[in-house]
Amino acid sequence: MASRPNKIRPVRRPILNKETSEFEPCWDILKGALTDIHNKNASRLSFENLYRASYKIVLRKKGQLLYDRVKEFEEEWFRNHVLPPIAELVSSNLVSVALLQMPGLSAHERRETGERFLRGIRDTWEDHNMSMNMVADILMYLERSYVSEARQPSIFAATIGLFRDHILRNNVGGVSEQLDQPFVIFDLVNAVILDLINMERDGDIIDRNLLRQLTSMLEALYETDEEQENAKLYLTVFEPRFLTASQSFYKNECEKLLREGSASTWLRHTQRRLQEEQDRCETSLSILTTDKIAKVVELELIVAKLNDFLAMEGTGMKSMVDNDRYEDLSILYQLVSRVDKTKNALKNILQSRVMDLGLEIEQTLKHTDFSAPGAGAEVEDAAEAGEKTKAQPLSAAAQQTAAAIKWVDDVLQLKDKFDNLSKMCFNEDLVLQSAVTKSFSDFINMFHRSSEFVSLFIDDSLKRGLKGKSDEDVEVMLQKAIVLLRYLADRDMFERYYQKHLARRLLHNKSEMHIEKELVRRMKAELGNHFTTKFEGMFKDMELSKDLSENYRDHVRNLGDADTTNIDLGIHVLTTNNWPPEVMGRSASQEDGGRAECTFPPAIKRLQESFFKYYLKDRSGRVLTWVASAGSADIKCVFPKVTGKESGPLSKERRYELNVSTYGMIVLELFNSLADGESLSFEEIQAKTNIPAQDLIRTLGSLSIPPKSRVLAKEPMSKNVKPTDRFAFNAQFVSKTIKIKAPVISSASKVEDNEERKETERKNDQTRAHVVDAAIVRIMKQRKELTHTQLTTEVIGQLAGRFKPEISMIKKRIEDLLVREYLERIEGEMAAYRYLA
């Protein structure tokens, strides 16, 4: 089979003339369509024919030519049909007002001129935007097949960008000569928009919808046809100018407010401006600017002159705090929180104000007269006895106690004031609360009697203030007590005073036991077990004593002893270490010389011996010591008829129940054996009773000076008891009440005088020395070796909950422990110690 010879054929050449001849007719069709679109005659166009024309051109590889022709057509259209009307809107009047800011036109005329110009720009943009969308539709095949492959900007981006290049960036000839530098239409658009915004800021009404349409146009246009998201004309051109103009506007406004306004006006104005700018971004500009313009307002209206506004005399923050202007402070907190998370400006002023007001409390206390009649200890005691007495002038001790209670009350009121500010104005901000707490602690501890005063306040509240009060009132008092305790730095001093005051309340039955226990329970939760050990021991002693007294009474009744059944004995058996030395009869003067034993009446001695036998029957090895200074007695007194009196109270026998101290009972027993008209001198009474002189002076004073309890007659009659005085039974005594209480000033809690204060501090320093010793040994036993600085730091840290030890005290205690060979110095090191087991 023969094969066919191969033939070489020439390469087939494209028919250029044919392709060219097909492009022009298709372009003519498209060109006519573009013209109709611009002329708004697109309703008669056939999308299918136009798509086919575009398809044919791209199919013949003429996509680039078509792309260029479309751009050329649109550019020519802009030059001939769009730009001339825009140029007519750019009048010299508009330029002089918007760019040169020359006066002459009213706000209304400026607004009308500017809005007319912007409407022209808007209408042109909307027409162009709609036309380019239709052009993109009919050239869809060009977009899909050629533009994407050639990696060129889309036909829509290329044509919509013509508005940017030929309108916004067009420098209008002739009119621009009014300026030193040429301007483009975009400059005029920005200037008019900014002018309208300033008009609105000044209270005028503008077309917000028009502004929104213009800013939407700027958001749709980009710097280049690549249309990068961060290159929108709104972000690159308009927004920076808007922010710069706003900064200048608000800077001038802030200066005006500082000159003419008040802090209150500034707060509300700034709050309103922030809200206005947010609304403007949502309705007129763009949400892209919301945070940025807020930052400008914050910097210019808040940060720039914050300290000046806060320091304004009469309206600044000091005045807001003093006058409880909650609304102003609330706005202030919101504004400052926007610009400073630390809120240092508010914190510093609050701290300073707390300190100033706290020190004012102390100064006011010094200049307050507490000598006016009031409810002192004497009046209280008389009231308890059932007498209606007139208010008596306060004694010196009562005045000091009243001052202490007023100081604490004023501090608590100040605390409530700032608590309310925190809750109502500062959103209970922890930063501000901590600052205020620190200032409260500082000024409270600057007052050297704060520990004593706080204990006295609690003492007064528990004794009298809670009678008849509801559970809610009790809870408030307990919370206040714990709050005050938190502020105290020298808590060991408070513990010493509280122990003394608690002892008197318990022994004299002055308060409710369940409230006392609840307060101690809260102290324990707040400060730890070591703080309340003695208090809990006192409660335990009282409970055991109550049971012991009941059992002893039963024991006496079973014995049927006539000598003991005439006297009802209530016993408090107190553990020495739990109770304060003053209560246990160990006063400062007696600590070294032992406890003074008074001489009890024979009947009381027999009762004591009876109780000793009963108590020691099941408790061998115990030692009981009678403390006469801490007890009280109820005595049934009979005052016989006075000879020669035929009428009135003295004409008949009078019976009273007299409540006196144990010392008072011992003294009164002496007068039972005296004949009528006989008397005893002070020295004779002291010799027969062995009562300490100071206690005897107070006891005799309570029985012979107050009219309500003057069962003894003193010669000479005076307001003070002297060693030269003589005393006799007061047969003329009359009382309107059956039950009488002889007040003893020492039984009431009172402020210590300077000598007593010094003695308390001396004792407390002795206790602190032992506590520091224990802390040093405890730390060194665990760490074995430490430098002096490290040891000092750890001691301060461990004892911070009780008190802040002085560096000198720590050094002295270390030296003492070195001498006692608990520690030794490490050889070769300047200041380091080693624990010796």
Side-chain angles (χ1 to χ4, degrees):
M1 181 175 178
S3 59
R4 294 178 60 184
N6 292 331
K7 294 184 178 179
I8 299 175
R9 297 179 180 177
V11 178
R12 194 168 184 179
R13 301 177 181 274
I15 307 173
L16 297 176
N17 293 335
K18 183 178 180 181
E19 291 179 359
T20 304
S21 61
E22 289 184 357
F23 174 82
E24 292 300 336
C26 292
W27 165 244
D28 290 340
I29 294 173
L30 293 173
K31 182 178 179 181
L34 295 178
T35 303
D36 289 340
I37 288 173
H38 282 295
N39 290 328
K40 297 181 174 56
N41 293 327
S43 59
R44 60 189 183 86
L45 298 177
S46 170
F47 178 81
E48 182 179 356
N49 291 336
L50 297 174
Y51 182 86
R52 186 179 295 111
S54 173
Y55 174 80
K56 288 181 179 180
I57 292 174
V58 176
L59 193 64
R60 299 300 180 189
K61 308 297 183 184
K62 296 296 181 181
Q64 182 63 47
L65 183 58
L66 177 59
Y67 188 89
D68 293 337
R69 287 283 184 91
V70 172
K71 288 185 65 176
E72 292 171 2
F73 175 84
E74 293 300 336
E75 289 173 352
E76 184 178 357
W77 184 270
F78 266 93
R79 285 193 298 271
N80 298 330
H81 300 87
V82 178
L83 190 56
I86 295 295
E88 292 180 2
L89 294 174
V90 184
S91 64
S92 59
N93 197 24
L94 178 66
V95 173
S96 63
V97 172
L99 296 180
L100 299 178
Q101 299 181 351
M102 295 178 63
L105 293 181
S106 65
H108 174 75
E109 291 173 322
R110 284 165 49 208
R111 183 174 62 253
E112 289 295 326
T113 303
E115 289 182 352
R116 183 166 56 251
F117 168 71
L118 293 182
R119 289 190 191 97
I121 298 294
R122 179 201 60 188
D123 295 343
T124 303
W125 160 254
E126 290 178 350
D127 288 346
H128 180 65
N129 191 43
M130 181 180 63
S131 299
M132 293 308 99
N133 273 292
M134 297 178 68
V135 169
D137 287 342
I138 65 176
L139 297 176
M140 189 181 301
Y141 190 76
L142 174 68
E143 182 74 28
R144 292 179 178 177
S145 300
Y146 172 74
V147 175
S148 58
E149 291 180 2
R151 297 184 177 180
Q152 288 186 302
S154 67
I155 191 66
F156 179 79
T159 54
I160 203 72
L162 295 174
F163 190 88
R164 170 195 66 226
D165 298 331
H166 293 273
I167 299 296
L168 296 182
R169 292 177 177 171
N170 187 286
N171 58 339
V172 183
V175 179
S176 62
E177 295 175 358
Q178 298 179 52
L179 299 175
D180 295 336
Q181 296 180 350
F183 70 92
V184 295
I185 292 178
F186 200 178
D187 296 328
L188 201 55
V189 171
N190 287 330
V192 171
I193 293 177
L194 296 179
D195 189 38
L196 290 175
I197 290 174
N198 283 342
M199 288 183 192
E200 186 179 41
R201 285 170 175 162
D202 289 335
D204 288 343
I205 298 176
I206 64 171
D207 189 343
R208 285 191 163 195
N209 187 51
L210 175 61
L211 258 61
R212 183 58 189 146
Q213 291 168 336
L214 267 295
T215 53
S216 295
M217 174 192 77
L218 297 178
E219 284 189 275
L221 294 171
Y222 297 80
E223 287 286 344
T224 63
D225 293 342
E226 280 73 18
E227 296 190 344
Q228 296 178 357
E229 190 63 26
N230 60 351
K232 294 179 178 179
L233 292 183
Y234 180 88
L235 296 175
T236 59
V237 180
F238 173 76
E239 187 180 77
R241 298 186 185 183
F242 168 69
L243 296 177
T244 300
S246 298
Q247 184 178 16
S248 177
F249 178 88
Y250 285 119
K251 182 177 182 179
N252 294 332
E253 188 170 73
C254 184
E255 295 287 350
K256 182 179 179 182
L257 284 170
L258 193 59
R259 289 192 310 270
E260 304 174 2
S262 63
S264 180
T265 303
W266 161 69
L267 288 172
R268 286 163 175 75
H269 185 83
T270 302
Q271 186 184 46
R272 187 177 71 252
R273 285 303 196 195
L274 286 166
Q275 186 60 49
E276 287 176 358
E277 294 299 341
Q278 181 177 342
D279 294 342
R280 184 173 293 109
C281 290
E282 292 174 354
T283 59
S284 302
L285 303 180
S286 168
I287 57 173
L288 298 174
T289 310
T290 304
D291 293 340
K292 298 173 186 176
I293 186 59
K295 190 71 174 177
V296 169
V297 177
E298 290 167 1
L299 289 174
E300 296 302 329
L301 287 185
I302 304 176
V303 176
K305 301 294 182 180
L306 177 61
N307 292 331
D308 294 330
F309 282 110
L310 294 181
M312 275 188 164
E313 189 68 29
T315 63
M317 188 174 175
K318 176 183 174 182
S319 175
M320 296 178 196
V321 170
D322 292 350
N323 297 299
D324 295 330
R325 284 163 33 198
Y326 294 140
E327 186 178 359
D328 285 355
L329 288 170
S330 180
I331 298 173
L332 177 61
Y333 172 76
Q334 295 170 20
L335 296 181
V336 173
S337 297
R338 297 176 67 107
V339 300
D340 183 11
K341 298 303 179 184
T342 63
K343 306 163 189 79
N344 284 325
L346 298 184
K347 183 171 64 176
N348 294 337
I349 294 178
L350 284 175
Q351 284 185 306
S352 174
R353 200 66 198 129
V354 169
M355 285 294 294
D356 291 343
L357 293 175
L359 295 176
E360 282 180 16
I361 291 175
E362 185 177 347
Q363 294 300 317
T364 301
L365 199 68
K366 293 179 180 179
H367 298 93
T368 301
D369 181 13
F370 292 96
S371 62
E378 298 87 344
V379 177
E380 175 198 354
D381 293 338
E384 288 182 358
E387 295 187 28
K388 296 182 180 179
T389 62
K390 295 182 180 180
Q392 300 295 323
L394 294 181
S395 64
Q399 289 180 41
Q400 291 178 333
T401 303
I405 295 169
K406 174 175 173 51
W407 181 84
V408 177
D409 277 333
D410 290 346
V411 169
L412 286 173
Q413 289 179 15
L414 186 63
K415 177 68 168 55
D416 289 341
K417 174 187 181 72
F418 280 89
D419 284 346
N420 288 333
L421 292 179
S422 177
K423 182 178 180 180
M424 300 182 68
C425 307
F426 304 141
N427 198 27
E428 296 184 329
D429 189 281
L430 292 179
V431 173
L432 299 182
Q433 284 182 339
S434 299
V436 169
T437 298
K438 183 180 182 303
S439 292
F440 265 96
S441 180
D442 288 344
F443 89 75
I444 287 174
N445 289 293
M446 285 173 64
F447 185 53
H448 67 286
R449 290 199 158 181
S450 57
S451 297
E452 182 184 8
F453 279 18
V454 169
S455 182
L456 273 171
F457 169 79
I458 297 174
D459 182 70
D460 181 76
S461 298
L462 291 175
K463 285 197 303 186
R464 290 179 300 204
L466 295 181
K467 289 185 178 180
K469 296 295 181 67
S470 64
D471 292 342
E472 291 77 9
D473 294 330
V474 173
E475 177 65 22
V476 169
M477 180 269 156
L478 294 176
Q479 289 178 354
K480 287 180 177 180
I482 296 301
V483 166
L484 289 168
L485 186 54
R486 287 186 188 131
Y487 287 132
L488 296 178
D490 294 334
R491 290 170 179 169
D492 58 334
M493 283 290 285
F494 170 82
E495 181 184 1
R496 183 175 293 273
Y497 285 115
Y498 190 81
Q499 183 189 27
K500 182 168 60 176
H501 296 154
L502 174 62
R504 287 172 177 159
R505 292 198 300 275
L506 294 179
L507 294 177
H508 293 90
N509 195 26
K510 290 285 189 178
S511 63
E512 299 289 339
M513 181 63 78
H514 71 280
I515 298 178
E516 295 280 8
K517 288 184 175 180
E518 175 60 20
L519 180 54
V520 169
R521 185 192 68 79
R522 298 191 184 193
M523 290 181 182
K524 184 176 182 179
E526 187 73 26
L527 303 176
N529 296 340
H530 68 278
F531 188 81
T532 58
T533 301
K534 292 183 178 180
F535 306 154
E536 292 170 333
M538 294 163 72
F539 293 149
K540 185 177 180 180
D541 285 348
M542 295 299 293
E543 292 170 355
L544 293 176
S545 297
K546 182 179 180 181
D547 295 337
L548 182 62
S549 296
E550 291 292 335
N551 294 335
Y552 177 68
R553 292 190 187 101
D554 294 339
H555 170 73
V556 170
R557 282 194 292 268
N558 293 333
L559 290 177
D561 190 345
D563 290 337
T564 56
T565 54
N566 288 336
I567 301 175
D568 188 10
L569 182 64
I571 299 293
H572 290 144
V573 180
L574 311 180
T575 305
T576 303
N577 291 336
N578 291 337
W579 296 78
E582 296 83 0
V583 170
M584 302 303 291
R586 304 192 309 277
S587 63
S589 62
Q590 296 170 343
E591 283 187 343
D592 298 329
R595 185 181 289 109
E597 297 288 347
C598 67
T599 303
F600 287 93
I604 301 299
K605 283 185 178 180
R606 289 192 296 271
L607 193 63
Q608 288 174 339
E609 292 172 359
S610 171
F611 179 77
F612 271 136
K613 291 179 182 179
Y614 170 78
Y615 183 80
L616 296 177
K617 182 175 61 175
D618 299 324
R619 302 172 181 84
S620 61
R622 299 285 182 90
V623 177
L624 290 181
T625 303
W626 292 93
V627 182
S629 60
S632 63
D634 290 327
I635 303 176
K636 293 183 178 180
C637 303
V638 178
F639 289 81
K641 174 183 176 181
V642 177
T643 305
K645 297 290 184 179
E646 301 298 331
S647 62
L650 298 179
S651 64
K652 54 187 177 180
E653 185 180 85
R654 305 172 306 284
R655 295 178 179 269
Y656 302 112
E657 291 184 11
L658 186 62
N659 178 263
V660 295
S661 67
T662 302
Y663 284 150
M665 174 199 68
I666 296 172
V667 169
L668 290 176
E669 281 288 326
L670 298 178
F671 291 87
N672 276 339
S673 58
L674 287 182
D676 293 343
E678 292 186 1
S679 63
L680 294 173
S681 68
F682 181 91
E683 290 82 357
E684 290 173 334
I685 295 173
Q686 187 174 22
K688 290 176 179 292
T689 62
N690 199 31
I691 297 175
Q694 290 300 320
D695 291 329
L696 183 58
I697 289 174
R698 284 193 289 266
T699 301
L700 290 172
S702 69
L703 297 173
S704 63
I705 296 176
K708 305 299 181 181
S709 61
R710 192 179 295 165
V711 295
L712 296 180
K714 187 170 80 73
E715 180 66 33
M717 187 61 208
S718 62
K719 292 185 178 181
N720 298 313
V721 175
K722 298 179 181 179
T724 57
D725 293 343
R726 297 190 65 85
F727 300 87
F729 177 70
N730 182 13
Q732 307 285 332
F733 178 76
V734 175
S735 175
K736 295 180 180 180
T737 60
I738 302 299
K739 293 183 178 181
I740 304 166
K741 182 165 184 174
V744 181
I745 304 302
S746 62
S747 69
S749 299
K750 62 184 181 64
V751 174
E752 294 179 331
D753 58 29
N754 291 332
E755 291 300 322
E756 291 172 328
R757 173 76 181 178
K758 289 178 181 178
E759 182 62 24
T760 299
E761 290 178 347
R762 183 187 66 81
K763 293 178 182 178
N764 201 58
D765 286 342
Q766 291 177 351
T767 304
R768 284 185 176 184
H770 299 312
V771 173
V772 173
D773 283 351
I776 293 172
V777 172
R778 185 167 56 249
I779 293 168
M780 292 302 299
K781 187 175 182 179
Q782 180 182 10
R783 303 292 295 276
K784 305 304 181 186
E785 294 183 1
L786 277 179
T787 66
H788 179 82
T789 303
Q790 291 173 329
L791 179 57
T792 302
T793 302
E794 291 205 23
V795 169
I796 293 174
Q798 281 199 9
L799 300 181
R802 289 179 61 82
F803 63 94
K804 185 178 180 180
E806 298 289 339
I807 301 297
S808 58
M809 173 183 278
I810 297 174
K811 184 177 180 181
K812 183 177 180 181
R813 301 320 305 159
I814 292 174
E815 294 294 338
D816 185 68
L817 291 172
L818 288 169
V819 172
R820 292 155 60 191
E821 297 185 352
Y822 282 89
L823 308 177
E824 68 174 359
R825 298 185 191 276
I826 299 176
E827 295 181 5
E829 297 191 31
M830 290 295 294
Y833 312 106
R834 181 184 295 113
Y835 176 70
L836 296 178

mmCIF file of all heavy atoms in Angstrom, residues 502-516:
data_model
loop_
_atom_site.group_PDB
_atom_site.id
_atom_site.type_symbol
_atom_site.label_atom_id
_atom_site.label_comp_id
_atom_site.label_asym_id
_atom_site.label_seq_id
_atom_site.Cartn_x
_atom_site.Cartn_y
_atom_site.Cartn_z
ATOM 1 N N LEU A 502 -14.450 46.727 128.070
ATOM 2 C CA LEU A 502 -15.291 45.529 128.050
ATOM 3 C C LEU A 502 -15.449 44.964 129.463
ATOM 4 O O LEU A 502 -16.540 44.524 129.840
ATOM 5 C CB LEU A 502 -14.661 44.479 127.126
ATOM 6 C CG LEU A 502 -15.341 43.102 127.097
ATOM 7 C CD1 LEU A 502 -16.776 43.229 126.596
ATOM 8 C CD2 LEU A 502 -14.562 42.127 126.222
ATOM 9 N N ALA A 503 -14.373 44.969 130.215
ATOM 10 C CA ALA A 503 -14.434 44.449 131.585
ATOM 11 C C ALA A 503 -15.473 45.208 132.410
ATOM 12 O O ALA A 503 -16.274 44.610 133.147
ATOM 13 C CB ALA A 503 -13.057 44.551 132.233
ATOM 14 N N ARG A 504 -15.474 46.526 132.297
ATOM 15 C CA ARG A 504 -16.439 47.311 133.072
ATOM 16 C C ARG A 504 -17.866 47.050 132.620
ATOM 17 O O ARG A 504 -18.789 46.994 133.444
ATOM 18 C CB ARG A 504 -16.096 48.795 132.944
ATOM 19 C CG ARG A 504 -14.844 49.172 133.731
ATOM 20 C CD ARG A 504 -14.408 50.578 133.447
ATOM 21 N NE ARG A 504 -13.239 50.941 134.272
ATOM 22 C CZ ARG A 504 -12.414 51.909 133.987
ATOM 23 N NH1 ARG A 504 -12.621 52.642 132.907
ATOM 24 N NH2 ARG A 504 -11.380 52.176 134.762
ATOM 25 N N ARG A 505 -18.049 46.898 131.319
ATOM 26 C CA ARG A 505 -19.408 46.605 130.834
ATOM 27 C C ARG A 505 -19.890 45.256 131.350
ATOM 28 O O ARG A 505 -21.046 45.111 131.760
ATOM 29 C CB ARG A 505 -19.438 46.624 129.303
ATOM 30 C CG ARG A 505 -19.225 47.979 128.683
ATOM 31 C CD ARG A 505 -19.686 48.021 127.229
ATOM 32 N NE ARG A 505 -18.996 47.066 126.373
ATOM 33 C CZ ARG A 505 -17.830 47.282 125.781
ATOM 34 N NH1 ARG A 505 -17.213 48.448 125.970
ATOM 35 N NH2 ARG A 505 -17.271 46.380 124.989
ATOM 36 N N LEU A 506 -19.029 44.276 131.328
ATOM 37 C CA LEU A 506 -19.434 42.943 131.765
ATOM 38 C C LEU A 506 -19.705 42.901 133.261
ATOM 39 O O LEU A 506 -20.718 42.336 133.706
ATOM 40 C CB LEU A 506 -18.345 41.926 131.393
ATOM 41 C CG LEU A 506 -18.101 41.689 129.894
ATOM 42 C CD1 LEU A 506 -16.977 40.681 129.688
ATOM 43 C CD2 LEU A 506 -19.367 41.205 129.201
ATOM 44 N N LEU A 507 -18.814 43.484 134.040
ATOM 45 C CA LEU A 507 -18.959 43.411 135.496
ATOM 46 C C LEU A 507 -20.125 44.239 136.009
ATOM 47 O O LEU A 507 -20.736 43.898 137.019
ATOM 48 C CB LEU A 507 -17.660 43.864 136.173
ATOM 49 C CG LEU A 507 -16.445 42.963 135.930
ATOM 50 C CD1 LEU A 507 -15.211 43.543 136.592
ATOM 51 C CD2 LEU A 507 -16.710 41.551 136.451
ATOM 52 N N HIS A 508 -20.463 45.324 135.302
ATOM 53 C CA HIS A 508 -21.569 46.178 135.725
ATOM 54 C C HIS A 508 -22.840 45.905 134.917
ATOM 55 O O HIS A 508 -23.811 46.655 135.016
ATOM 56 C CB HIS A 508 -21.182 47.656 135.613
ATOM 57 C CG HIS A 508 -20.110 48.062 136.572
ATOM 58 N ND1 HIS A 508 -18.772 47.985 136.255
ATOM 59 C CD2 HIS A 508 -20.170 48.518 137.852
ATOM 60 C CE1 HIS A 508 -18.045 48.396 137.300
ATOM 61 N NE2 HIS A 508 -18.870 48.731 138.278
ATOM 62 N N ASN A 509 -22.794 44.848 134.105
ATOM 63 C CA ASN A 509 -23.973 44.445 133.330
ATOM 64 C C ASN A 509 -24.530 45.606 132.512
ATOM 65 O O ASN A 509 -25.722 45.926 132.554
ATOM 66 C CB ASN A 509 -25.052 43.888 134.268
ATOM 67 C CG ASN A 509 -26.131 43.125 133.510
ATOM 68 O OD1 ASN A 509 -25.879 42.598 132.417
ATOM 69 N ND2 ASN A 509 -27.322 43.069 134.076
ATOM 70 N N LYS A 510 -23.659 46.252 131.747
ATOM 71 C CA LYS A 510 -24.021 47.464 131.029
ATOM 72 C C LYS A 510 -24.417 47.212 129.573
ATOM 73 O O LYS A 510 -24.774 48.149 128.866
ATOM 74 C CB LYS A 510 -22.838 48.434 131.041
ATOM 75 C CG LYS A 510 -22.536 49.043 132.406
ATOM 76 C CD LYS A 510 -23.547 50.099 132.778
ATOM 77 C CE LYS A 510 -23.126 50.842 134.024
ATOM 78 N NZ LYS A 510 -24.070 51.901 134.377
ATOM 79 N N SER A 511 -24.298 45.989 129.101
ATOM 80 C CA SER A 511 -24.591 45.756 127.683
ATOM 81 C C SER A 511 -25.163 44.358 127.493
ATOM 82 O O SER A 511 -25.214 43.555 128.433
ATOM 83 C CB SER A 511 -23.323 45.927 126.844
ATOM 84 O OG SER A 511 -22.354 44.955 127.213
ATOM 85 N N GLU A 512 -25.576 44.106 126.245
ATOM 86 C CA GLU A 512 -26.134 42.801 125.899
ATOM 87 C C GLU A 512 -25.004 41.841 125.549
ATOM 88 O O GLU A 512 -24.179 42.125 124.677
ATOM 89 C CB GLU A 512 -27.094 42.931 124.718
ATOM 90 C CG GLU A 512 -28.281 43.843 124.975
ATOM 91 C CD GLU A 512 -29.273 43.213 125.943
ATOM 92 O OE1 GLU A 512 -29.242 41.972 126.086
ATOM 93 O OE2 GLU A 512 -30.053 43.963 126.554
ATOM 94 N N MET A 513 -25.006 40.663 126.201
ATOM 95 C CA MET A 513 -23.910 39.714 125.998
ATOM 96 C C MET A 513 -23.844 39.213 124.562
ATOM 97 O O MET A 513 -22.753 39.063 123.993
ATOM 98 C CB MET A 513 -24.061 38.535 126.956
ATOM 99 C CG MET A 513 -22.955 37.505 126.850
ATOM 100 S SD MET A 513 -21.324 38.148 127.274
ATOM 101 C CE MET A 513 -21.450 38.150 129.056
ATOM 102 N N HIS A 514 -24.993 38.978 123.936
ATOM 103 C CA HIS A 514 -24.961 38.421 122.569
ATOM 104 C C HIS A 514 -24.391 39.431 121.572
ATOM 105 O O HIS A 514 -23.735 39.045 120.600
ATOM 106 C CB HIS A 514 -26.358 37.968 122.147
ATOM 107 C CG HIS A 514 -27.326 39.095 121.881
ATOM 108 N ND1 HIS A 514 -27.980 39.771 122.881
ATOM 109 C CD2 HIS A 514 -27.727 39.674 120.711
ATOM 110 C CE1 HIS A 514 -28.761 40.694 122.369
ATOM 111 N NE2 HIS A 514 -28.630 40.677 121.045
ATOM 112 N N ILE A 515 -24.602 40.742 121.823
ATOM 113 C CA ILE A 515 -24.016 41.756 120.940
ATOM 114 C C ILE A 515 -22.514 41.839 121.172
ATOM 115 O O ILE A 515 -21.729 41.969 120.220
ATOM 116 C CB ILE A 515 -24.682 43.125 121.176
ATOM 117 C CG1 ILE A 515 -26.177 43.058 120.856
ATOM 118 C CG2 ILE A 515 -24.014 44.193 120.315
ATOM 119 C CD1 ILE A 515 -26.923 44.355 121.103
ATOM 120 N N GLU A 516 -22.108 41.755 122.436
ATOM 121 C CA GLU A 516 -20.676 41.754 122.746
ATOM 122 C C GLU A 516 -19.974 40.599 122.036
ATOM 123 O O GLU A 516 -18.899 40.763 121.428
ATOM 124 C CB GLU A 516 -20.455 41.639 124.259
ATOM 125 C CG GLU A 516 -20.965 42.807 125.074
ATOM 126 C CD GLU A 516 -20.004 43.991 125.059
ATOM 127 O OE1 GLU A 516 -19.017 43.955 124.303
ATOM 128 O OE2 GLU A 516 -20.251 44.960 125.801
#
